[in-house]
């Protein structure tokens, strides 16, 4: 069973940067996709970015494209979300998740097809 442990959230001023990490265990790394969803207060959870752990394919939501980058270290079984030029509207709880295809990160998550979730890490961006 896949287990995900996140780290790296925090508070930053607008224009700043943060990097989130998500370490996986309990499965063969490289046979699924991992990525991030976020949920702001009063809003639905939405997909942010994901990566195929067996290759280089990625998905990045339009709202963060050009500012957020997803990458991985296969040896460490860890996926990273580098967030630059942060805006107050990026404030949310960020959740790492694992699933079989990148398309699961488009829009809102389908819990029936995602295999695992992390505990969440809070990102707060002040203006």
């Amino acid at each position: 069973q896949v287990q995900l442990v996140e780290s790296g959230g925090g508070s930053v001023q607008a224009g700043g940067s943060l990097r989130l990490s998500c370490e996986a265990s309990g499965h063969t790394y490289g046979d699924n996709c991992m990525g991030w969803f976020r949920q702001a207060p009063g809003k639905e959870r939405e997909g942010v970015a994901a990566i195929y752990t067996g290759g280089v394919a990625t998905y990045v939501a339009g709202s963060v494209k050009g500012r957020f980058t997803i990458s991985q270290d296969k040896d460490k079984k860890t996926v990273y979300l580098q967030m630059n030029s942060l805006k107050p509207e990026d404030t949310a709880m960020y959740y790492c998740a694992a699933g079989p295809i990148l398309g699961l990160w488009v829009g809102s998550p389908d819990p029936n097809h995602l295999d695992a979730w992390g505990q969440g890490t809070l990102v707060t961006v002040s203006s």
Side-chain angles (χ1 to χ4, degrees), residues 11-16 86-91 124-127:
S11 297
V12 66
Q13 289 191 328
L86 282 161
K87 304 175 181 180
E89 50 263 45
D90 294 318
T91 295
T124 303
V125 185
S126 58
S127 57

Side-chain angles (χ1 to χ4, degrees), residues 32-89:
N32 67 353
C33 299
M34 289 174 56
W36 301 88
F37 292 89
R38 69 184 181 184
Q39 187 166 17
K43 295 188 176 181
E44 289 189 351
R45 195 169 294 192
E46 62 176 357
V48 177
I51 189 166
Y52 171 52
T53 59
V56 298
T58 61
Y59 163 78
V60 180
S63 59
V64 302
K65 193 167 289 184
R67 300 187 297 120
F68 291 12
T69 303
I70 190 165
S71 62
Q72 64 180 323
D73 185 327
K74 295 181 180 181
D75 291 335
K76 294 183 178 179
K77 299 182 180 181
T78 299
V79 172
Y80 303 98
L81 185 67
Q82 178 66 42
M83 304 185 294
N84 299 328
S85 301
L86 282 161
K87 304 175 181 180
E89 50 263 45

